[in-house]
Amino acid sequence: MEPDALAAPSLVDLTVARLSREILSGRPGPGEKLVEEQITRRYGISRAPLREALRLLAQRGLVEHVPRRGVRVATLSERDVRELYDLRDVLERHVVRTALPATPGGLADLREALRAMAEAATAGDRLSVAEAHRAFHVAVVALGGNRQLTAAYAATLEKIQLYMAVNLRREAETAHAPDGVDRHARLLDAVAGGDPAEVLAVLDGHGARSYLG
């Protein structure tokens, strides 16, 4: 019975990882109902691990339970979004002003995130592009070496990832695939240069509010 006891939590973890990745890619989108029967059939799992996964995702603010209507992808009000971006800006700029010059290890993490972003863009893999965008920005904030600040930033970014993903799709329809990679390459160059004023100038032109990545 001991192996069975380990199987259920592992299945829950896998379900959380897969479903959160899909949600953070923008499909299903904000407010879209999550139909248990469809998900269990697509994932090949029972309802029990799915419901536990949905409970955990609700704790992270990615889904919400609606009385008598089931579970849907979480939505944010315009005020929520503005406040989250304000918090994102404050945290990023604090790190830029206090953490430069970056360590070789920190720059290596940024280069790896940019490499993954470029590969995903070339392959047309929108899911991986969204993840690489998040990883890049988290790596920027991690330059400060403050684990609590980085965790708070990552949680903030996760809550607005739904809207980042919407704009990733919009960019795919209106711009060339390398555009997002080029924006982040310019930011990496500025960070590597070690001038906080230059990094802040690049961030100001990064399109964080019109293009949320």
Side-chain angles (χ1 to χ4, degrees), residues 70-164:
V71 181
R72 68 182 185 184
V73 177
T75 59
L76 295 172
S77 68
E78 292 185 5
R79 178 177 179 177
D80 291 332
V81 174
R82 287 196 304 270
E83 291 176 350
L84 287 167
Y85 283 129
D86 286 345
L87 179 57
R88 167 181 161 156
D89 293 347
V90 167
L91 295 177
E92 285 186 338
R93 282 157 175 73
H94 170 75
V95 169
V96 169
R97 294 189 179 99
T98 60
L100 297 182
T103 65
L107 290 174
D109 289 341
L110 289 174
R111 292 190 180 100
E112 174 58 24
L114 186 65
R115 183 198 61 77
M117 192 186 305
E119 288 186 356
T122 299
D125 185 345
R126 182 169 47 80
L127 286 170
S128 294
V129 167
E131 290 181 342
H133 277 251
R134 288 180 65 223
F136 186 93
H137 283 275
V138 171
V140 169
V141 170
L143 294 173
N146 186 321
R147 293 174 299 173
Q148 298 300 321
L149 188 151
T150 302
Y153 177 82
T156 299
L157 200 59
E158 186 171 66
K159 290 180 181 178
I160 58 176
Q161 181 70 35
L162 303 174
Y163 296 88
M164 293 174 68

Side-chain angles (χ1 to χ4, degrees), residues 182-200:
D182 291 343
R183 272 196 300 272
H184 289 83
R186 289 192 293 272
L187 181 54
L188 171 56
D189 288 343
V191 171
D195 182 357
E198 176 63 21
V199 177
L200 291 174

Side-chain angles (χ1 to χ4, degrees), residues 2-24:
E2 186 175 352
D4 292 337
L6 293 174
S10 297
L11 188 56
V12 169
D13 291 342
L14 290 171
T15 303
V16 167
R18 180 173 174 181
L19 189 53
S20 63
R21 188 169 185 259
E22 292 181 359
I23 290 172
L24 293 175

